Amino acid sequence: MAIERTLSILKPDAVKNNITGKINSYIESSGLKIIAQKMMLLTKKQAELFYEIHKDRSFFGELVEFMTSGPVIVQVLVGKNAVSKYRQIMGATDPKQAEKGTIRGDFADDISENRVHGSDSLENARKEIDFFFAEHELV
Ligand code: CMP
């Protein structure tokens, strides 16, 4: 099993609802380690760039507005198969499809406010980590 890094975002709804500690406990219980995290308020430009891959989707404007509506916590997680493991514990993108016991299954109701983001591939994880963190911030 490969030791990987992946990017996680605890979205504005997670911060507003005061459940970031609960989400971190799901992450830590899974064996993944949080090696960097910071709270920040994304600018419109940062959110548009981060989600550029979705720029032609109908929900893009709503997504950017939501992701800039309040502070987020960006994190780097490390562990065995971190990319797929984090996607497993997050649950399906649409919380209505997410299993109980997953972060979205237990804490989210709506696809547009689904509490967390996680990289979907190792290649995107590298890009997304570079987007928010300098190498010296990863300890
Ligand atoms: P995330 O993993 O952050 O990646 C893109 C986000 O777009 C996704 O989670 C959802 O929160 C959001 N989104 C909003 N509406 C939709 C939709 N109809 N289909 C997919 N993703 C959506």
Side-chain angles (χ1 to χ4, degrees), residues 6-11 50-51 54 75 77 82-84 86-88 90-91 93 104 114-121 124-125 128:
T6 192
L7 183 91
S8 159
I9 304 179
L10 311 188
K11 296 185 178 184
F50 184 79
Y51 280 116
H54 297 302
Q75 309 176 306
L77 313 181
V83 172
S84 60
Y86 190 43
R87 290 191 67 87
Q88 241 171 46
M90 283 193 305
T93 304
R104 288 166 172 159
N114 60 359
R115 306 309 199 230
V116 282
H117 165 84
S119 309
D120 64 0
S121 67
N124 283 339
E128 292 181 356

Side-chain angles (χ1 to χ4, degrees), residues 55-117:
K55 69 177 186 312
D56 297 325
R57 307 289 292 273
S58 57
F59 57 82
F60 184 67
E62 187 194 349
L63 175 61
V64 169
E65 195 174 317
F66 168 60
M67 290 301 291
T68 56
S69 66
V72 297
I73 295 175
V74 291
Q75 309 176 306
V76 179
L77 313 181
V78 172
K80 287 179 189 161
N81 297 327
V83 172
S84 60
K85 177 170 278 181
Y86 190 43
R87 290 191 67 87
Q88 241 171 46
I89 65 163
M90 283 193 305
T93 304
D94 182 353
K96 292 187 177 65
Q97 319 290 330
E99 285 177 27
K100 284 283 154 215
T102 64
I103 296 167
R104 288 166 172 159
D106 291 354
F107 298 117
D109 311 303
D110 192 316
I111 192 167
S112 56
E113 300 200 2
N114 60 359
R115 306 309 199 230
V116 282
H117 165 84

